[in-house]
Amino acid sequence: MAHSPHQEKAQVEPSPSSDQITSAKHDTSIVPLRAALLQLPQQYFKALVKPSVATYTQDKDNASWGLVWIQLLAWAILDAALGVLVNLLLPPANNSVFSRFFAITTSYGLVIVVPTLFFLLMGIVYWLAKYFGGQGTFLEQCNTSLYIQAPLGILSKLLALIPGVGKILNSVLSLYGIVIQVVVIIAAHRLSRGKAIATILLPLVTGGALAGIVFLLMKK
């Protein structure tokens, strides 16, 4: 029985090996991450300068845990390096135990403190968002939040290098960060403005009260 040219070509061509399939999957998984990393400066700029639900939802499909961890670790390392510089240029007024502990926590300790506090706060916010009927995923929330939290965290350390006025600018920056974080929650979880505000303010007010109590106890 005669075979057509197409049938003969199909019989001759070998099927791809498992190694080739694995390599192809590996390549397709690396390329989007590299592309997403190259787009981060643009993402940060848009997230800070053009905060809107549309801005925070248009790139949610690019979210990945690899991208989250790279941003988070880069933020923590840069924050720690700037923290060391701040403590060298603006050393504490006294040499008490609390001052030394605070200096270490706000410098070298930021490598651990930044990821720990980020995931702790994100976990509480995610739980509250779900309680209020949020529909987004934890990954989407973390990834979109880092678009604003990472650059603002670095910028706050740079402002701390400015004597006197740096604290005032940091306060303004913190308020701005809270406002646009509300927009992030609206975008990530499709919540109303009121529910998004409650989702952000409840943990901040509670955490601030607890931090104030701890500060007063350590000062005694």
Short mmCIF file of all heavy atoms in Angstrom, two decimals, residues 87-147:
data_model
loop_
_atom_site.label_atom_id
_atom_site.label_comp_id
_atom_site.label_asym_id
_atom_site.label_seq_id
_atom_site.Cartn_x
_atom_site.Cartn_y
_atom_site.Cartn_z
N ASN A 87 21.20 55.41 60.14
CA ASN A 87 21.68 55.32 61.52
C ASN A 87 23.12 55.82 61.67
O ASN A 87 23.51 56.28 62.74
CB ASN A 87 21.57 53.88 62.01
CG ASN A 87 20.15 53.49 62.38
OD1 ASN A 87 19.50 54.16 63.18
ND2 ASN A 87 19.65 52.43 61.79
N LEU A 88 23.91 55.73 60.59
CA LEU A 88 25.26 56.27 60.64
C LEU A 88 25.26 57.80 60.59
O LEU A 88 26.02 58.46 61.30
CB LEU A 88 26.09 55.71 59.48
CG LEU A 88 26.50 54.23 59.58
CD1 LEU A 88 27.20 53.79 58.30
CD2 LEU A 88 27.40 54.00 60.80
N LEU A 89 24.41 58.33 59.74
CA LEU A 89 24.36 59.79 59.58
C LEU A 89 23.57 60.47 60.69
O LEU A 89 23.89 61.59 61.09
CB LEU A 89 23.73 60.15 58.22
CG LEU A 89 24.50 59.69 56.98
CD1 LEU A 89 23.74 60.06 55.71
CD2 LEU A 89 25.90 60.31 56.95
N LEU A 90 22.54 59.76 61.19
CA LEU A 90 21.69 60.32 62.25
C LEU A 90 21.62 59.35 63.42
O LEU A 90 20.61 58.70 63.63
CB LEU A 90 20.28 60.61 61.70
CG LEU A 90 20.19 61.54 60.48
CD1 LEU A 90 18.79 61.54 59.91
CD2 LEU A 90 20.61 62.96 60.88
N PRO A 91 22.71 59.22 64.17
CA PRO A 91 22.73 58.26 65.29
C PRO A 91 21.74 58.67 66.37
O PRO A 91 21.40 59.86 66.50
CB PRO A 91 24.17 58.34 65.79
CG PRO A 91 24.64 59.69 65.38
CD PRO A 91 23.95 59.99 64.08
N PRO A 92 21.25 57.69 67.18
CA PRO A 92 20.32 58.02 68.26
C PRO A 92 20.95 58.95 69.30
O PRO A 92 22.17 58.93 69.51
CB PRO A 92 19.99 56.65 68.87
CG PRO A 92 21.10 55.75 68.44
CD PRO A 92 21.56 56.27 67.11
N ALA A 93 20.10 59.75 69.93
CA ALA A 93 20.59 60.74 70.90
C ALA A 93 21.20 60.10 72.13
O ALA A 93 22.14 60.62 72.71
CB ALA A 93 19.45 61.68 71.30
N ASN A 94 20.66 58.95 72.54
CA ASN A 94 21.21 58.26 73.71
C ASN A 94 21.59 56.84 73.35
O ASN A 94 21.28 56.36 72.26
CB ASN A 94 20.21 58.28 74.88
CG ASN A 94 18.86 57.70 74.47
OD1 ASN A 94 18.76 56.51 74.20
ND2 ASN A 94 17.84 58.54 74.44
N ASN A 95 22.24 56.16 74.29
CA ASN A 95 22.72 54.80 74.03
C ASN A 95 21.99 53.78 74.90
O ASN A 95 22.58 52.82 75.37
CB ASN A 95 24.23 54.73 74.32
CG ASN A 95 24.88 53.51 73.66
OD1 ASN A 95 24.41 53.05 72.63
ND2 ASN A 95 25.93 53.00 74.28
N SER A 96 20.69 53.99 75.08
CA SER A 96 19.89 53.08 75.89
C SER A 96 19.67 51.77 75.16
O SER A 96 19.93 51.65 73.96
CB SER A 96 18.54 53.72 76.23
OG SER A 96 17.79 53.92 75.05
N VAL A 97 19.18 50.78 75.90
CA VAL A 97 18.91 49.46 75.30
C VAL A 97 17.86 49.59 74.20
O VAL A 97 17.98 48.98 73.12
CB VAL A 97 18.44 48.47 76.39
CG1 VAL A 97 18.03 47.14 75.76
CG2 VAL A 97 19.53 48.26 77.42
N PHE A 98 16.84 50.38 74.46
CA PHE A 98 15.78 50.57 73.46
C PHE A 98 16.34 51.22 72.20
O PHE A 98 15.99 50.82 71.08
CB PHE A 98 14.65 51.43 74.04
CG PHE A 98 13.60 51.77 73.03
CD1 PHE A 98 12.64 50.84 72.66
CD2 PHE A 98 13.58 53.03 72.42
CE1 PHE A 98 11.68 51.15 71.71
CE2 PHE A 98 12.61 53.33 71.47
CZ PHE A 98 11.65 52.39 71.12
N SER A 99 17.21 52.21 72.34
CA SER A 99 17.79 52.90 71.19
C SER A 99 18.64 51.96 70.35
O SER A 99 18.58 51.98 69.11
CB SER A 99 18.64 54.08 71.66
OG SER A 99 17.85 55.03 72.31
N ARG A 100 19.43 51.11 71.02
CA ARG A 100 20.25 50.15 70.28
C ARG A 100 19.38 49.14 69.55
O ARG A 100 19.65 48.77 68.41
CB ARG A 100 21.22 49.45 71.23
CG ARG A 100 22.32 50.36 71.78
CD ARG A 100 23.46 49.54 72.37
NE ARG A 100 23.01 48.72 73.49
CZ ARG A 100 23.01 49.10 74.76
NH1 ARG A 100 23.44 50.34 75.07
NH2 ARG A 100 22.61 48.30 75.71
N PHE A 101 18.34 48.65 70.23
CA PHE A 101 17.42 47.69 69.62
C PHE A 101 16.71 48.32 68.42
O PHE A 101 16.58 47.70 67.35
CB PHE A 101 16.39 47.23 70.65
CG PHE A 101 15.31 46.35 70.08
CD1 PHE A 101 15.55 45.02 69.80
CD2 PHE A 101 14.04 46.88 69.82
CE1 PHE A 101 14.55 44.21 69.26
CE2 PHE A 101 13.04 46.08 69.28
CZ PHE A 101 13.30 44.75 69.01
N PHE A 102 16.27 49.55 68.58
CA PHE A 102 15.58 50.25 67.50
C PHE A 102 16.51 50.47 66.31
O PHE A 102 16.11 50.34 65.15
CB PHE A 102 15.05 51.59 68.01
CG PHE A 102 14.24 52.35 66.99
CD1 PHE A 102 12.93 51.98 66.71
CD2 PHE A 102 14.79 53.43 66.31
CE1 PHE A 102 12.19 52.68 65.76
CE2 PHE A 102 14.06 54.13 65.37
CZ PHE A 102 12.75 53.76 65.10
N ALA A 103 17.78 50.79 66.59
CA ALA A 103 18.75 51.02 65.52
C ALA A 103 19.00 49.74 64.71
O ALA A 103 19.07 49.77 63.48
CB ALA A 103 20.06 51.54 66.10
N ILE A 104 19.13 48.62 65.40
CA ILE A 104 19.35 47.34 64.71
C ILE A 104 18.12 46.94 63.90
O ILE A 104 18.22 46.49 62.76
CB ILE A 104 19.72 46.23 65.72
CG1 ILE A 104 21.08 46.53 66.36
CG2 ILE A 104 19.74 44.87 65.04
CD1 ILE A 104 21.45 45.58 67.47
N THR A 105 16.92 47.12 64.51
CA THR A 105 15.68 46.75 63.85
C THR A 105 15.45 47.56 62.58
O THR A 105 14.94 47.04 61.58
CB THR A 105 14.49 46.93 64.80
OG1 THR A 105 14.71 46.18 66.00
CG2 THR A 105 13.19 46.46 64.16
N THR A 106 15.83 48.83 62.63
CA THR A 106 15.60 49.71 61.48
C THR A 106 16.79 49.76 60.52
O THR A 106 16.84 50.63 59.65
CB THR A 106 15.30 51.14 61.97
OG1 THR A 106 16.37 51.61 62.80
CG2 THR A 106 14.00 51.19 62.74
N SER A 107 17.73 48.83 60.67
CA SER A 107 18.85 48.75 59.73
C SER A 107 19.00 47.30 59.25
O SER A 107 18.27 46.86 58.38
CB SER A 107 20.14 49.27 60.37
OG SER A 107 20.41 48.58 61.58
N TYR A 108 19.92 46.55 59.84
CA TYR A 108 20.16 45.17 59.42
C TYR A 108 18.91 44.30 59.57
O TYR A 108 18.65 43.42 58.75
CB TYR A 108 21.30 44.55 60.23
CG TYR A 108 22.60 45.31 60.13
CD1 TYR A 108 23.04 46.13 61.16
CD2 TYR A 108 23.40 45.20 58.99
CE1 TYR A 108 24.24 46.82 61.07
CE2 TYR A 108 24.59 45.89 58.89
CZ TYR A 108 25.01 46.70 59.94
OH TYR A 108 26.19 47.39 59.83
N GLY A 109 18.14 44.56 60.62
CA GLY A 109 16.97 43.73 60.88
C GLY A 109 15.88 43.85 59.85
O GLY A 109 14.98 42.99 59.79
N LEU A 110 15.95 44.88 58.99
CA LEU A 110 14.91 45.06 57.99
C LEU A 110 14.88 43.94 56.96
O LEU A 110 13.86 43.73 56.30
CB LEU A 110 15.09 46.41 57.28
CG LEU A 110 14.77 47.65 58.13
CD1 LEU A 110 15.13 48.91 57.38
CD2 LEU A 110 13.30 47.66 58.53
N VAL A 111 15.99 43.23 56.80
CA VAL A 111 16.01 42.09 55.87
C VAL A 111 14.98 41.04 56.30
O VAL A 111 14.37 40.37 55.46
CB VAL A 111 17.42 41.46 55.81
CG1 VAL A 111 17.41 40.21 54.96
CG2 VAL A 111 18.42 42.47 55.27
N ILE A 112 14.75 40.93 57.60
CA ILE A 112 13.76 39.99 58.12
C ILE A 112 12.44 40.69 58.43
O ILE A 112 11.36 40.16 58.17
CB ILE A 112 14.28 39.30 59.40
CG1 ILE A 112 15.53 38.48 59.07
CG2 ILE A 112 13.22 38.41 60.02
CD1 ILE A 112 16.21 37.87 60.29
N VAL A 113 12.54 41.91 58.96
CA VAL A 113 11.34 42.63 59.39
C VAL A 113 10.42 42.96 58.23
O VAL A 113 9.20 42.80 58.33
CB VAL A 113 11.74 43.92 60.14
CG1 VAL A 113 10.52 44.79 60.40
CG2 VAL A 113 12.43 43.58 61.46
N VAL A 114 10.98 43.42 57.11
CA VAL A 114 10.16 43.84 55.98
C VAL A 114 9.29 42.70 55.44
O VAL A 114 8.06 42.85 55.34
CB VAL A 114 11.03 44.45 54.86
CG1 VAL A 114 10.24 44.61 53.56
CG2 VAL A 114 11.57 45.80 55.29
N PRO A 115 9.86 41.51 55.08
CA PRO A 115 8.99 40.43 54.59
C PRO A 115 8.01 39.95 55.65
O PRO A 115 6.85 39.64 55.33
CB PRO A 115 9.98 39.31 54.22
CG PRO A 115 11.28 40.00 54.03
CD PRO A 115 11.29 41.13 55.00
N THR A 116 8.45 39.88 56.93
CA THR A 116 7.58 39.39 57.99
C THR A 116 6.38 40.30 58.19
O THR A 116 5.22 39.84 58.21
CB THR A 116 8.35 39.27 59.32
OG1 THR A 116 9.46 38.39 59.15
CG2 THR A 116 7.45 38.74 60.42
N LEU A 117 6.63 41.60 58.31
CA LEU A 117 5.53 42.54 58.51
C LEU A 117 4.65 42.64 57.27
O LEU A 117 3.42 42.79 57.40
CB LEU A 117 6.09 43.92 58.86
CG LEU A 117 6.70 44.07 60.25
CD1 LEU A 117 7.14 45.52 60.48
CD2 LEU A 117 5.70 43.66 61.34
N PHE A 118 5.25 42.53 56.10
CA PHE A 118 4.45 42.61 54.88
C PHE A 118 3.43 41.47 54.82
O PHE A 118 2.24 41.70 54.61
CB PHE A 118 5.36 42.56 53.65
CG PHE A 118 4.60 42.54 52.35
CD1 PHE A 118 4.07 43.72 51.83
CD2 PHE A 118 4.41 41.36 51.65
CE1 PHE A 118 3.37 43.71 50.63
CE2 PHE A 118 3.71 41.34 50.45
CZ PHE A 118 3.18 42.52 49.94
N PHE A 119 3.89 40.23 55.01
CA PHE A 119 2.98 39.10 54.92
C PHE A 119 1.99 39.07 56.09
O PHE A 119 0.85 38.65 55.93
CB PHE A 119 3.76 37.78 54.85
CG PHE A 119 4.30 37.47 53.49
CD1 PHE A 119 5.66 37.26 53.29
CD2 PHE A 119 3.46 37.41 52.38
CE1 PHE A 119 6.16 36.99 52.03
CE2 PHE A 119 3.96 37.14 51.12
CZ PHE A 119 5.31 36.93 50.95
N LEU A 120 2.43 39.54 57.26
CA LEU A 120 1.52 39.61 58.41
C LEU A 120 0.38 40.59 58.12
O LEU A 120 -0.80 40.25 58.31
CB LEU A 120 2.28 40.04 59.65
CG LEU A 120 1.45 40.21 60.94
CD1 LEU A 120 0.80 38.89 61.33
CD2 LEU A 120 2.31 40.73 62.08
N LEU A 121 0.74 41.77 57.65
CA LEU A 121 -0.29 42.77 57.34
C LEU A 121 -1.15 42.32 56.17
O LEU A 121 -2.39 42.47 56.20
CB LEU A 121 0.39 44.11 57.01
CG LEU A 121 -0.56 45.28 56.69
CD1 LEU A 121 -1.49 45.55 57.85
CD2 LEU A 121 0.23 46.52 56.33
N MET A 122 -0.54 41.74 55.13
CA MET A 122 -1.30 41.28 53.98
C MET A 122 -2.27 40.15 54.37
O MET A 122 -3.38 40.07 53.84
CB MET A 122 -0.35 40.78 52.89
CG MET A 122 0.37 41.88 52.12
SD MET A 122 -0.71 42.95 51.13
CE MET A 122 -0.74 44.43 52.16
N GLY A 123 -1.84 39.30 55.30
CA GLY A 123 -2.71 38.22 55.76
C GLY A 123 -3.94 38.76 56.49
O GLY A 123 -5.07 38.30 56.26
N ILE A 124 -3.72 39.74 57.35
CA ILE A 124 -4.84 40.35 58.09
C ILE A 124 -5.77 41.08 57.13
O ILE A 124 -7.01 40.95 57.21
CB ILE A 124 -4.30 41.31 59.17
CG1 ILE A 124 -3.49 40.54 60.21
CG2 ILE A 124 -5.45 42.07 59.83
CD1 ILE A 124 -2.76 41.44 61.21
N VAL A 125 -5.20 41.84 56.20
CA VAL A 125 -6.00 42.58 55.23
C VAL A 125 -6.79 41.61 54.35
O VAL A 125 -7.97 41.85 54.05
CB VAL A 125 -5.10 43.49 54.37
CG1 VAL A 125 -5.85 44.03 53.16
CG2 VAL A 125 -4.55 44.64 55.20
N TYR A 126 -6.16 40.52 53.94
CA TYR A 126 -6.84 39.52 53.10
C TYR A 126 -8.01 38.90 53.84
O TYR A 126 -9.11 38.72 53.27
CB TYR A 126 -5.84 38.44 52.68
CG TYR A 126 -6.44 37.38 51.78
CD1 TYR A 126 -6.71 37.65 50.44
CD2 TYR A 126 -6.72 36.10 52.26
CE1 TYR A 126 -7.24 36.68 49.62
CE2 TYR A 126 -7.25 35.14 51.44
CZ TYR A 126 -7.53 35.43 50.12
OH TYR A 126 -8.06 34.47 49.31
N TRP A 127 -7.80 38.57 55.12
CA TRP A 127 -8.88 37.98 55.91
C TRP A 127 -10.05 38.95 56.04
O TRP A 127 -11.22 38.58 55.90
CB TRP A 127 -8.35 37.59 57.30
CG TRP A 127 -9.42 36.99 58.17
CD1 TRP A 127 -9.85 35.69 58.18
CD2 TRP A 127 -10.19 37.68 59.16
NE1 TRP A 127 -10.85 35.52 59.11
CE2 TRP A 127 -11.08 36.73 59.72
CE3 TRP A 127 -10.22 39.00 59.62
CZ2 TRP A 127 -11.98 37.06 60.73
CZ3 TRP A 127 -11.13 39.34 60.61
CH2 TRP A 127 -11.99 38.38 61.16
N LEU A 128 -9.74 40.22 56.30
CA LEU A 128 -10.80 41.23 56.42
C LEU A 128 -11.51 41.45 55.08
O LEU A 128 -12.74 41.60 55.05
CB LEU A 128 -10.21 42.55 56.91
CG LEU A 128 -9.81 42.61 58.39
CD1 LEU A 128 -9.04 43.89 58.68
CD2 LEU A 128 -11.04 42.51 59.29
N ALA A 129 -10.73 41.46 54.00
CA ALA A 129 -11.34 41.64 52.68
C ALA A 129 -12.31 40.50 52.36
O ALA A 129 -13.41 40.73 51.85
CB ALA A 129 -10.25 41.72 51.61
N LYS A 130 -11.91 39.27 52.69
CA LYS A 130 -12.79 38.13 52.47
C LYS A 130 -14.02 38.21 53.37
O LYS A 130 -15.13 37.84 52.97
CB LYS A 130 -12.03 36.82 52.74
CG LYS A 130 -11.02 36.46 51.66
CD LYS A 130 -11.71 36.23 50.33
CE LYS A 130 -10.75 35.82 49.25
NZ LYS A 130 -11.42 35.63 47.93
N TYR A 131 -13.83 38.70 54.58
CA TYR A 131 -14.96 38.86 55.51
C TYR A 131 -15.99 39.85 54.95
O TYR A 131 -17.20 39.67 55.11
CB TYR A 131 -14.44 39.35 56.86
CG TYR A 131 -15.53 39.64 57.87
CD1 TYR A 131 -16.13 38.61 58.58
CD2 TYR A 131 -15.95 40.95 58.10
CE1 TYR A 131 -17.14 38.86 59.50
CE2 TYR A 131 -16.95 41.22 59.02
CZ TYR A 131 -17.54 40.18 59.72
OH TYR A 131 -18.54 40.45 60.63
N PHE A 132 -15.51 40.88 54.26
CA PHE A 132 -16.39 41.88 53.68
C PHE A 132 -16.88 41.49 52.28
O PHE A 132 -17.55 42.29 51.62
CB PHE A 132 -15.69 43.24 53.60
CG PHE A 132 -15.52 43.92 54.92
CD1 PHE A 132 -14.26 44.30 55.37
CD2 PHE A 132 -16.62 44.16 55.75
CE1 PHE A 132 -14.10 44.94 56.59
CE2 PHE A 132 -16.46 44.80 56.98
CZ PHE A 132 -15.21 45.18 57.40
N GLY A 133 -16.53 40.28 51.84
CA GLY A 133 -17.02 39.81 50.54
C GLY A 133 -16.04 39.97 49.39
O GLY A 133 -16.44 39.94 48.22
N GLY A 134 -14.74 40.13 49.70
CA GLY A 134 -13.74 40.28 48.65
C GLY A 134 -13.63 39.05 47.76
O GLY A 134 -13.84 37.93 48.22
N GLN A 135 -13.28 39.26 46.48
CA GLN A 135 -13.24 38.16 45.51
C GLN A 135 -11.85 37.87 44.96
O GLN A 135 -11.66 36.94 44.20
CB GLN A 135 -14.17 38.51 44.33
CG GLN A 135 -15.61 38.77 44.74
CD GLN A 135 -16.46 39.26 43.58
OE1 GLN A 135 -16.20 38.94 42.43
NE2 GLN A 135 -17.47 40.06 43.88
N GLY A 136 -10.87 38.68 45.33
CA GLY A 136 -9.53 38.49 44.78
C GLY A 136 -8.75 37.40 45.50
O GLY A 136 -9.18 36.87 46.52
N THR A 137 -7.57 37.08 44.96
CA THR A 137 -6.70 36.08 45.56
C THR A 137 -5.62 36.77 46.39
O THR A 137 -5.34 37.96 46.22
CB THR A 137 -6.04 35.21 44.49
OG1 THR A 137 -5.14 36.02 43.71
CG2 THR A 137 -7.08 34.58 43.57
N PHE A 138 -4.99 36.00 47.27
CA PHE A 138 -3.91 36.53 48.10
C PHE A 138 -2.73 36.95 47.24
O PHE A 138 -2.07 37.95 47.51
CB PHE A 138 -3.50 35.47 49.11
CG PHE A 138 -2.51 35.96 50.14
CD1 PHE A 138 -2.82 37.01 50.99
CD2 PHE A 138 -1.26 35.36 50.26
CE1 PHE A 138 -1.92 37.47 51.94
CE2 PHE A 138 -0.35 35.80 51.21
CZ PHE A 138 -0.68 36.86 52.05
N LEU A 139 -2.47 36.18 46.17
CA LEU A 139 -1.37 36.51 45.26
C LEU A 139 -1.61 37.84 44.58
O LEU A 139 -0.71 38.69 44.51
CB LEU A 139 -1.20 35.40 44.21
CG LEU A 139 -0.21 35.68 43.08
CD1 LEU A 139 1.18 35.95 43.62
CD2 LEU A 139 -0.18 34.51 42.10
N GLU A 140 -2.81 38.07 44.06
CA GLU A 140 -3.12 39.33 43.39
C GLU A 140 -2.96 40.51 44.36
O GLU A 140 -2.40 41.54 44.00
CB GLU A 140 -4.55 39.30 42.85
CG GLU A 140 -4.76 38.37 41.67
CD GLU A 140 -6.22 38.26 41.27
OE1 GLU A 140 -7.08 38.89 41.94
OE2 GLU A 140 -6.52 37.53 40.32
N GLN A 141 -3.44 40.32 45.58
CA GLN A 141 -3.35 41.38 46.57
C GLN A 141 -1.89 41.71 46.91
O GLN A 141 -1.50 42.88 46.94
CB GLN A 141 -4.09 40.97 47.84
CG GLN A 141 -3.97 41.97 48.98
CD GLN A 141 -4.54 41.44 50.28
OE1 GLN A 141 -5.71 41.08 50.34
NE2 GLN A 141 -3.73 41.39 51.32
N CYS A 142 -1.08 40.69 47.14
CA CYS A 142 0.33 40.91 47.48
C CYS A 142 1.09 41.56 46.34
O CYS A 142 1.85 42.51 46.53
CB CYS A 142 1.00 39.59 47.86
SG CYS A 142 0.47 38.90 49.45
N ASN A 143 0.88 41.05 45.13
CA ASN A 143 1.63 41.56 43.98
C ASN A 143 1.28 43.02 43.71
O ASN A 143 2.17 43.86 43.51
CB ASN A 143 1.33 40.70 42.75
CG ASN A 143 2.20 41.07 41.56
OD1 ASN A 143 3.38 40.76 41.53
ND2 ASN A 143 1.60 41.72 40.58
N THR A 144 -0.01 43.34 43.71
CA THR A 144 -0.43 44.72 43.43
C THR A 144 -0.01 45.65 44.56
O THR A 144 0.39 46.80 44.31
CB THR A 144 -1.95 44.79 43.24
OG1 THR A 144 -2.37 43.80 42.30
CG2 THR A 144 -2.37 46.15 42.72
N SER A 145 -0.06 45.18 45.80
CA SER A 145 0.36 46.01 46.93
C SER A 145 1.84 46.34 46.86
O SER A 145 2.25 47.45 47.22
CB SER A 145 0.05 45.29 48.25
OG SER A 145 -1.34 45.12 48.43
N LEU A 146 2.64 45.41 46.37
CA LEU A 146 4.08 45.66 46.26
C LEU A 146 4.39 46.73 45.23
O LEU A 146 5.43 47.40 45.32
CB LEU A 146 4.82 44.37 45.91
CG LEU A 146 5.12 43.44 47.08
CD1 LEU A 146 5.62 42.09 46.59
CD2 LEU A 146 6.12 44.06 48.04
N TYR A 147 3.52 46.91 44.24
CA TYR A 147 3.74 47.96 43.25
C TYR A 147 3.78 49.35 43.90
O TYR A 147 4.40 50.26 43.36
CB TYR A 147 2.63 47.95 42.20
CG TYR A 147 2.73 46.83 41.19
CD1 TYR A 147 1.65 46.47 40.40
CD2 TYR A 147 3.92 46.14 41.01
CE1 TYR A 147 1.74 45.45 39.46
CE2 TYR A 147 4.02 45.11 40.09
CZ TYR A 147 2.92 44.77 39.32
OH TYR A 147 3.03 43.76 38.40
#
